[in-house]
Amino acid sequence: MDDLRIRAAGPGDLDAVLAFWKVAAEGTSISDDRAGVERLVGRDPEALILAERRGELVGTVIAGFDGWRCHLYRLAVHPGHRRRGVGSALLAAAEERFVRLGGRRGDAMVLDRNELAHHTWRAAGYAPEPQWSRWVKHLVG
């Protein structure tokens, strides 16, 4: 894993990230467009964390902190690079960021149907809280 580089995304990475999510991420979001990702990186330049191997984008995670809670989104690893520590390295970087910012608990958005992801999150020490449900309202059409 010595060849794995973890870094924050910059404005020049956004098109590559959006293309990467089409290959590596499960599901889509209303925010999966250039304007949405630009807002994220513009508001919090360290929130979108990338993993690269030999200059190739192999993983992402969004580590958002609102000043009260730590939220994880878009943990995605390229199918050809899974089970090689990329996800673990991304989560470690996200958790280090949260601790640095004063965060005390991380939560993750994980699709119920994504069994592969469930194994990854459990291995990293996360667990579902079945007493909670996600309630959503789209604010734009």
Side-chain angles (χ1 to χ4, degrees):
M1 248 209 352
D2 293 334
D3 61 345
L4 190 66
R5 179 178 177 224
I6 305 293
R7 66 174 180 88
D13 296 308
L14 305 187
D15 291 330
V17 167
L18 288 164
F20 175 79
W21 285 343
K22 289 181 180 177
V23 173
E26 180 75 23
T28 58
S29 165
I30 194 170
S31 303
D32 286 356
D33 59 19
R34 184 160 178 93
V37 181
E38 279 178 341
R39 270 191 305 279
L40 169 69
V41 172
R43 182 179 181 282
D44 187 350
E46 295 181 358
L48 177 53
I49 302 170
L50 308 181
E52 297 174 323
R53 185 166 274 144
R54 292 180 288 285
E56 177 188 357
L57 180 59
V58 297
T60 67
V61 70
I62 296 173
F65 182 64
D66 61 16
W68 185 43
R69 296 238 173 107
C70 308
H71 305 285
L72 295 158
Y73 309 92
R74 282 292 183 222
L75 176 62
V77 176
H78 188 280
H81 292 265
R82 291 182 180 154
R83 302 191 58 81
R84 297 184 191 170
V86 175
S88 296
L90 284 164
L91 286 176
E95 292 167 359
E96 288 170 13
R97 169 178 154 72
F98 291 152
V99 169
R100 209 173 46 249
L101 293 170
R104 296 181 284 172
R105 179 183 75 179
D107 65 50
M109 298 299 302
V110 183
L111 288 171
D112 288 339
R113 69 175 186 264
N114 191 344
E115 291 293 327
L116 180 61
H118 297 182
H119 297 290
T120 300
W121 288 102
R122 278 192 177 91
Y126 291 79
E129 290 188 327
Q131 71 273 23
W132 296 101
S133 294
R134 180 178 182 211
W135 290 37
V136 176
K137 176 182 177 182
H138 288 233
L139 302 176
V140 294

